[in-house]
Amino acid sequence: MTINQADLLKKLRLITLEAQGLNHKKPFGSGKAAVLAAIQQLGYVQIDTLSVVSRAHHHTFWTRIPDYQPKLLDQLVAERQIFEYWFHAASYLPMQDFRYALPQMLSIKNGESRYFKADSQIMHNVYDKIRIEGPQKARDFESLSKSNSSWWNWKPTKIALEQLFMQGDLMISARNGIEKVYDLSERVLPSTINTTLPTVLEYAEYLVKTYLRAYGFTTIKQITHLKKGQILRQNVEKILSQMLEDKIIQKFEGNEIQTIYVRIDLLEKTYNTNHSNLHLLSPFDNSIIHRERVKACFEFDFRLECYTPELKRKYGYFCLPILFGDVFVGRVDCKAHRKSGVFELVHLHIENTEIDLSSWLAPFLKTLHRFVHFNRCQSIIISRISPPEQSNTIHEFINHHWDETQLKDELPITK
């Protein structure tokens, strides 16, 4: 298939939004089955402890599953259909993919990759306590060492727990809020799960197919992100070469884009280019976690600034990208004040001036209201809008058209 670069970029946007479940209102259905289907399609969902608004993993599911509730995720963990481990960060993954976590577990256990410096005797004691007494939380342990050494100010038993978890001896059997419950892996893993160590070629194939399924297209750089080793890269290239030969994917090269590999079935598909879905995305959402991809395809330069010193922040502490159709129209720095029930739009940044503001304000407000309820808040405050000249337009729209959203009496908005 021959295609010019502008048309290719448009097609790539539509392909990746389709693959990510952002082109339809209920791409995975509803309820618990939809949560499992979403994880299987996306490959993983990142876990994050920041609670400025609803935590990232819950936010990511809520974006794709209208009736999502956190208890559905807990149920899937309890049923052993998903598990926690590391992808590029702490994540929920499909239990069916467990064997592909084994290479990293083995590498850590053999000392090839060192995340922690746990005391071997404390690790032994921690493991035995869980083996004998059953599942434990970190606070169930008293320090088993008199050492004052620490890692991120963790006590030695916490370090031991994380070492045992990362090397695969322990798994997370449940969470109480954000607090982990650890148990022996042999008691958590279903007996039907394949636990054979994949070959390097099998592991490469898993990575390639995961990225192609989740995004519709990929690059070698993305596939091997944070994964070291020339052998892995060579096997990734081998898998891609075979898929090219089998006409499963097509390769594109250009001056302004990296070499990319696109699924041919998605290239040939016809997409609705007039849809106006609006999404308020988590900063950790799978669709935007690869910043270079987003910048290249969507011309949207996104960085999470909560780890940036306040004076150096351009947009705010915890900005949520606003996606309208296949265009990012802006971002909004948000904070849920749960005690007072107020959801604050600390700073709404309107960035795309080519799209009429009035075309996306109504769906933005509807999506915002759903999200505010999901965050257990009852009212909204808009503290700042940029550019300032848009402020009056937005507030006039709210005052004159609020009934159109059918939410006027449900959730008040104030300046």
Side-chain angles (χ1 to χ4, degrees), residues 227-243:
K227 295 173 177 64
K228 300 176 182 178
Q230 188 62 30
I231 295 176
L232 175 61
R233 183 184 177 92
Q234 290 170 354
N235 278 281
V236 165
E237 292 173 347
K238 184 176 181 180
I239 295 295
L240 290 169
S241 295
Q242 185 61 54
M243 294 179 82

Side-chain angles (χ1 to χ4, degrees), residues 161-217:
L161 282 167
E162 286 301 303
Q163 174 75 27
L164 289 164
F165 165 69
M166 288 299 294
Q167 67 184 36
D169 294 316
L170 299 180
M171 293 181 70
I172 308 301
S173 61
R175 276 185 183 259
N176 294 331
I178 205 65
E179 188 177 29
K180 302 173 186 176
V181 180
Y182 299 84
D183 199 359
L184 303 188
S185 294
E186 63 195 57
R187 296 200 292 235
V188 176
L189 277 172
S191 59
T192 55
I193 290 298
N194 184 351
T195 57
T196 58
L197 184 69
T199 65
V200 179
L201 188 62
E202 285 177 324
Y203 182 62
E205 183 179 21
Y206 156 73
L207 291 176
V208 170
K209 289 184 175 180
T210 294
Y211 279 104
L212 286 172
R213 182 182 67 247
Y215 296 98
F217 71 95

